[in-house]
Amino acid sequence: MQRIGVFVCWCGSNIAGTVDVAKVAEALKSEPGVVLSTNYQYMCSQAGQEMIKEAVKEHKLTGLVICSCSPRMHEATFRKTAAAAGINPYMVEIANIREQCSWIHKDMEEGTEKAIVLGRTAIAKVNLNAPLTPGESPVTKRALVIGGGIAGIQTALDIADAGFYVDIVEKKPTIGGKMAQLDKTFPTLDCAACILTPKMVDVAQHERIRIFSYSEVESVKGFVGNFDVTIRKKARYVKEDVCTGCGLCTEKCPQKKVPNEFNLGMDNRRAIYIPFAQAVPKVATIDADYCTMLKTGKCGVCSKVCTAKAIDYTQKDEFIEEKYGAIVAATGFNPISMDKFDEFAYSQSKDVITSLEFERLMNAAGPTAGKLLRPSDGVHPHKIVFVQCVGSRCASCAEKGKEYCSKICCMYTAKHAMLTRDKYPDTDVTVFYIDVRTPGKQFDEFYRRAVEEYGVHYIKGMVGKVSPEGNKLIVQGSDLIANKQLKIEADLVVLAAAIEPDKSARPLATMLTASMDTNDFFTEAHPKLRPVESPTAGIFLSGACQGPKDIPETVSQAGAAAAKVIGLLAKDKLTGNPCVAHSDEMMCNGCSSCEKVCPYGAITYSDKEFRGPNRTTLIRRVASVNEAICQGCGCCTVACPSGAMDLKGFASKQIMAEVDAICK
Amino acid sequence: MENSKQNLCNEIVRRSGVNPRKCMKCGKCSGTCPAYDEMEYHPHQFVYMVETGDIEPLLNSKSIYRCLTCFACVDRCPRGVEPAKLVEAVRLAVVREQGKNHLKADDIPELLDEELPQQAIVSALRKYSK
């Protein structure tokens, strides 16, 4: 028989405000096994924990029931307290009378009644609890970073500098991500390439970093410390280790009409290409969708001109299998499609562009070699209108825009406006804004400089429609402060498109069993206190895949994610979860149901000898669980038709006892 | 008096099905409105004035007959506020009062003109009278 101590927490007024804690403690006194039932203001405080330790000694307790907040909050705290008092930590049960009781009820009487039921349920379970000891598993000292933008680059560098091996998987032919496409960066206006490319080179030269470019994660198995990952290295039809990156092939390739994605389709590249001059790795890639040789078997120019003999038209996708201890998602973002915003005439006029396209137009390596020219006729624009919040803060139409604020647009629009006025003082610049949001170091000062020193016209209001007329764009919008409707004849309209997570994030999250929100941003383990970890152990988050953020914030988060990874990889062994599945061999009928449903591959079958009646031996096929791999999800216990499979700490018997206690 | 005005305001909100609190004051409705110059109070002002209970001026304004009910504001509002429905509800609150028809059947012969489609007159009669 257990000797159970019940401790009811007030949590200040959080619980005591809606639950009569003294009454709960009194009511639970008469439950089977309970030898002590008391209440205290803050059980989690040092004094509260001491009180538990004293009580264990005094009353020779064998089990504890803490009626307090959610076990996600303090289960670990009270398990440690129990261990310090000499009780097995798995003899502690938490009755959640805060999140699931006091916070959601208003009536004291109802709240108290429910708290008593929840307490009684936990007592019923503790009566059937048995001491459990967790197992240990080793840690593979290598990290995988998925995504090679500034987030992935920074995370990889920080992990590698701490002495661990890192692999970066990047789906594009080069690392660099979105930052490589930017012209200047706010608020200091230093050139993006000048600060990014040295980091890209650092990655390439780091002895502990491997880059898998033009590659994607194919499958992920295993668990924290022991992930088995398959990486698909897509065929680039160029031998990566042989190609010198001289670029001769990219000049001689006769297929000249391939939209250049690096310049967002505003100019063309060849079918064999190096995305940009500072690409890492600086290796050519053949675009199989356009290459004449791969499509018809007739051409081979690149192969003829290549002095290094690096071209290989027979190359196939390659699969690489590697073990990792930790995985970092750094999959980044994209601007949303403007196709559905007909009112801004994006699909009607070439002179309505997105802000990222504007970056390329301003960039010296861009389609116009840094001259600001209209895409339609190559003429210098004299009147530019910027429209902010296109698709951001858009609650009405999920298929069109995004409900959230994209965070970076206010600042880059101020940057674009300022740079335009600086380079082309003859160009008039107007910005339509709903709110200008500039929290950040030197951010508001930057925006004010655009207005005060550079004479950018900021108009509080939104553009209702843009209509192309002749070679002009008529921008109709409201000026809310003047209470006027404006019609501006513009030469160029720039839309600050909302940003969304990269499309590859959703399937990746499924592979990683990492959770996502409704916008496909990865969710943090805790929005404030664990912002760079996924709730799935061993999965970490870096950059805009977790939420919109600018470069300084991305770099900070990338470093934080690296610190968490280092903390994990520095351990030699990880303590497992003892609440794993266990099969009763005497009851197992060998049906394989559990093996089929196990998401972790933790169950295997083997033939075993059993003693039969009359001194005979029987050979039966029975299941066994690898406790190091089992994550305790419980799928098998539900699938098992004979009731042989059970979960330690959450046995069917224990759960039925809880249900009975509720229904009593 | 204050109370009855507040009641009417609540009634207008209820009838329109519009929640003016959803408005984030971006002004896209007024930016897109083709009848803007004809209106004394513009779509974003309608939403704001109903939100603050200042409906008297709206009830007496010609603006409620200038709205084309083209629904451009409804289509483009990023927050799903639907200002045109609010204008409609204010207009109905006026024309439903006895003797407040803005267009009577007897007025029609005078309005007829070859350029004007008959359908426009029929829909005006529907919109502007009880």
Side-chain angles (χ1 to χ4, degrees), chain A residues 242-251 274 282-284 302 305-308 310:
Chain A
V242 179
C243 174
T244 58
C246 70
L248 193 60
C249 53
T250 68
E251 286 160 22
I274 298 174
K282 197 163 183 200
V283 173
C302 52
V305 299
C306 181
T307 49

Side-chain angles (χ1 to χ4, degrees), chain A residues 607-621:
Chain A
D607 290 331
K608 260 191 163 180
E609 271 185 28
F610 289 88
R611 209 184 305 162
N614 302 327
R615 295 177 180 274
T616 53
T617 42
L618 294 167
I619 294 193
R620 282 178 39 221
R621 187 172 175 271

Side-chain angles (χ1 to χ4, degrees), chain B residues 40-41 55-65 90 94 100:
Chain B
E40 180 186 3
Y41 298 110
I55 54 161
E56 202 68 29
L58 297 179
L59 296 169
N60 298 322
S61 168
K62 290 273 176 281
S63 301
I64 54 179
Y65 308 111
V90 176
V94 174
K100 285 288 181 70

Side-chain angles (χ1 to χ4, degrees), chain A residues 77-402:
Chain A
T77 313
F78 294 119
R79 278 185 175 165
K80 271 184 205 152
T81 313
I87 306 184
N88 182 285
Y90 294 89
M91 296 304 289
V92 178
E93 284 300 326
I94 308 280
N96 181 355
I97 62 166
R98 193 177 78 170
E99 285 85 343
Q100 292 176 351
C101 185
S102 71
W103 276 359
I104 47 166
H105 291 290
K106 287 202 172 77
D107 183 66
M108 182 73 122
E109 209 165 304
E110 277 177 3
T112 308
E113 192 190 341
K114 185 168 170 186
I116 294 171
V117 173
L118 291 172
R120 196 192 289 150
T121 308
I123 294 166
K125 190 174 173 215
V126 173
N127 268 310
L128 298 171
N129 274 17
L132 298 174
T133 323
E136 284 181 334
S137 58
V139 180
T140 307
K141 309 243 171 200
R142 182 186 287 276
L144 173 66
V145 175
I146 303 167
I150 181 61
I153 288 174
Q154 188 63 46
T155 303
L157 282 173
D158 287 348
I159 298 170
D161 282 342
F164 296 103
Y165 288 94
V166 187
D167 291 346
I168 299 179
V169 171
E170 167 58 53
K171 66 176 175 180
K172 300 243 171 75
T174 170
I175 61 169
K178 288 286 170 307
M179 190 174 166
Q181 288 175 280
L182 305 184
D183 182 38
K184 301 276 192 303
T185 55
F186 59 77
T188 43
L189 294 180
D190 32 5
C191 124
C194 310
I195 54 176
L196 175 70
T197 50
K199 274 190 188 292
M200 291 165 62
V201 173
D202 286 351
V203 167
Q205 292 177 347
H206 207 295
E207 54 180 355
R208 283 185 290 274
I209 302 180
R210 280 191 298 180
I211 302 171
F212 294 110
S213 62
Y214 210 51
S215 302
E216 281 173 55
V217 172
E218 188 75 8
S219 77
V220 178
K221 288 198 184 82
F223 55 96
V224 55
N226 295 278
F227 293 107
D228 291 298
V229 179
T230 309
I231 297 162
R232 174 198 287 267
K233 225 169 148 17
K234 294 180 277 187
R236 70 198 314 160
Y237 306 104
V238 173
K239 290 177 204 147
E240 223 177 286
D241 43 350
V242 179
C243 174
T244 58
C246 70
L248 193 60
C249 53
T250 68
E251 286 160 22
K252 299 290 180 207
C253 171
Q255 177 51 275
K256 298 176 185 174
K257 289 270 161 67
V258 187
N260 182 1
E261 53 281 85
F262 188 72
N263 284 335
L264 300 154
M266 289 190 291
D267 63 356
N268 290 328
R269 60 163 169 80
R270 309 296 172 104
I272 184 162
Y273 67 111
I274 298 174
F276 55 98
Q278 304 98 321
V280 169
K282 197 163 183 200
V283 173
T285 304
I286 296 181
D287 188 335
D289 292 338
Y290 291 93
C291 173
T292 322
M293 182 68 183
L294 289 170
K295 280 164 77 180
T296 65
K298 289 185 200 116
C299 179
V301 170
C302 52
S303 174
K304 273 172 223 146
V305 299
C306 181
T307 49
K309 300 277 163 257
I311 311 290
D312 175 9
Y313 298 114
T314 62
Q315 214 175 53
K316 294 265 174 321
D317 287 6
E318 202 184 318
F319 293 90
I320 294 155
E321 284 178 21
E322 188 61 81
K323 277 180 160 311
Y324 298 100
I327 299 178
V328 182
T331 45
F333 73 96
N334 279 304
I336 64 167
S337 157
M338 289 285 102
D339 294 350
K340 291 201 172 98
F341 291 88
D342 292 334
E343 64 263 39
F344 298 120
Y346 179 78
S347 347
Q348 291 174 48
S349 170
K350 277 183 154 183
D351 298 330
V352 179
I353 58 172
T354 66
S355 297
L356 195 56
E357 289 165 353
F358 188 82
E359 291 280 352
R360 295 314 302 152
L361 277 188
M362 292 289 273
N363 189 268
T368 55
K371 285 199 201 75
L372 182 56
L373 302 173
R374 303 203 322 167
S376 66
D377 51 14
V379 172
H380 170 62
H382 289 279
K383 176 87 199 158
I384 305 181
V385 171
F386 288 87
V387 187
Q388 291 202 191
C389 296
V390 178
S392 297
R393 309 171 70 190
C394 186
S396 60
C397 35
E399 76 284 352
K400 229 171 131 172
K402 303 286 169 187

Side-chain angles (χ1 to χ4, degrees), chain B residues 28-96:
Chain B
K28 196 172 184 184
C29 49
S30 294
T32 201
C33 180
Y36 186 95
D37 292 336
E38 307 291 319
M39 293 173 96
E40 180 186 3
Y41 298 110
H42 307 122
H44 74 279
Q45 287 174 294
F46 259 87
V47 179
Y48 185 67
M49 289 163 85
V50 171
E51 190 190 348
T52 53
D54 188 18
I55 54 161
E56 202 68 29
L58 297 179
L59 296 169
N60 298 322
S61 168
K62 290 273 176 281
S63 301
I64 54 179
Y65 308 111
R66 297 290 177 262
C67 167
L68 301 168
T69 328
C70 72
F71 274 54
C73 55
V74 173
D75 183 55
R76 289 170 195 171
C77 171
R79 308 298 297 180
V81 178
E82 308 184 315
K85 291 191 180 172
L86 208 53
V87 179
E88 175 130 338
V90 176
R91 187 172 58 234
L92 286 176
V94 174
V95 299
R96 276 179 189 173

